Amino acid sequence: MIGNLVDAFPQLTNVQPIDLPPLNYFRPAAVRIEIEPLTADLRFWAFVSVTNNETQHVTVITPQ
């Protein structure tokens, strides 16, 4: 478990929202997470949950 991505990966502090000028809209920055097994035959299942610190809204993201 990684409780705070920025603490674990400080380089993420530089990730900025994406400006979409024709719509005058900022889309939140996207981060791709890839998980590699430590051993070749290891099987795993993963998901991500994200909590908005202001609204406490929780979003669960599953593999696709």
Side-chain angles (χ1 to χ4, degrees):
M1 179 188 133
I2 299 173
N4 185 320
L5 280 178
V6 175
D7 286 347
F9 303 97
Q11 63 270 30
L12 292 177
T13 57
N14 297 327
V15 176
Q16 298 296 317
I18 299 166
D19 186 9
L20 302 172
L23 305 175
N24 197 20
Y25 173 73
F26 284 93
R27 184 186 73 147
V31 176
R32 181 183 178 105
I33 300 171
E34 294 187 22
I35 301 170
E36 296 181 11
L38 297 176
T39 58
D41 295 332
L42 183 67
R43 295 177 52 118
F44 58 88
W45 187 86
F47 70 94
V48 174
S49 65
V50 181
T51 305
N52 181 311
N53 290 337
E54 293 178 15
T55 66
Q56 299 302 306
H57 179 80
V58 176
T59 303
V60 177
I61 304 164
T62 58
Q64 298 190 17

